[in-house]
């Protein structure tokens, strides 16, 4: 059974940093592209970042470019999202997701097969 478990969310002031982690079980991480998504109340789920299944390519939403960094440690079966210069508009539930192999649309939710339960990020102004 595949499980993705996110951690690292919390309350932070604007301008602060957080690092989210997503640890996978039941799959071999290096066979999957891994993505981070977020969803704020009343809004659609938004693709934030993706790292390719071989780890050589990363993708970011325009809204987070230059502030967020995605990385993966296949030995630990864990993917990370380092977030700097956080803004109140980054407040959302953050989800990690896994997609089999190469992904044509890395920031689109429909491309992903497995999802975690989410971790809340709240940025105060």
């Amino acid at each position: 059974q595949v499980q993705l478990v996110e951690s690292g969310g919390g309350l932070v002031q604007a301008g602060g940093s957080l690092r989210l982690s997503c640890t996978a079980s039941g799959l071999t991480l290096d066979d999957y592209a891994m993505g981070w998504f977020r969803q704020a109340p009343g809004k659609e789920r938004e693709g934030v970042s993706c790292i390719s299944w071989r780890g050589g390519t990363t993708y970011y939403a325009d809204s987070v470019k230059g502030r967020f960094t995605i990385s993966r440690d296949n030995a630990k079966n864990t993917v990370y999202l380092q977030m700097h210069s956080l803004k109140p508009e980054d407040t959302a539930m953050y989800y990690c997701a896994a997609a089999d192999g190469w992904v044509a649309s890395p920031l689109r939710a429909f491309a992903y097969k497995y999802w975690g339960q989410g971790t809340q990020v709240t940025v105060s102004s």
Side-chain angles (χ1 to χ4, degrees), residues 7-20 37-41 67-68 81 83-95 118-125:
S7 61
L11 174 64
V12 64
Q13 287 190 328
S17 299
L18 284 173
R19 189 178 80 156
L20 305 183
F37 291 77
R38 66 187 181 187
Q39 189 166 19
R67 300 189 297 122
F68 291 10
L81 186 68
M83 306 185 294
H84 294 298
S85 303
L86 283 161
K87 305 175 181 180
E89 51 264 45
D90 294 318
T91 295
M93 185 71 78
Y94 282 71
Y95 300 90
T119 185
Q120 177 69 37
V121 171
T122 303
V123 184
S124 62
S125 57

Side-chain angles (χ1 to χ4, degrees), residues 16-119:
S17 299
L18 284 173
R19 189 178 80 156
L20 305 183
S21 300
C22 171
T23 300
S25 59
L27 56 79
T28 302
L29 203 65
D30 54 1
D31 291 336
Y32 289 81
M34 298 298 295
W36 284 98
F37 291 77
R38 66 187 181 187
Q39 189 166 19
K43 294 189 176 182
E44 291 189 356
R45 191 166 294 193
E46 172 191 19
V48 174
S49 184
C50 168
I51 186 165
S52 64
W53 66 315
R54 296 302 191 197
T57 306
T58 55
Y59 307 85
Y60 297 95
D62 288 344
S63 57
V64 306
K65 277 180 185 174
R67 300 189 297 122
F68 291 10
T69 302
I70 191 170
S71 62
R72 62 195 297 160
D73 185 337
N74 289 339
K76 295 183 178 179
N77 244 27
T78 299
V79 63
Y80 304 97
L81 186 68
Q82 179 68 57
M83 306 185 294
H84 294 298
S85 303
L86 283 161
K87 305 175 181 180
E89 51 264 45
D90 294 318
T91 295
M93 185 71 78
Y94 282 71
Y95 300 90
C96 76
D100 236 327
W102 180 76
V103 179
S105 302
L107 297 181
R108 301 292 298 277
F110 69 78
Y112 291 80
K113 185 175 182 180
Y114 301 109
W115 291 83
Q117 293 299 306
T119 185

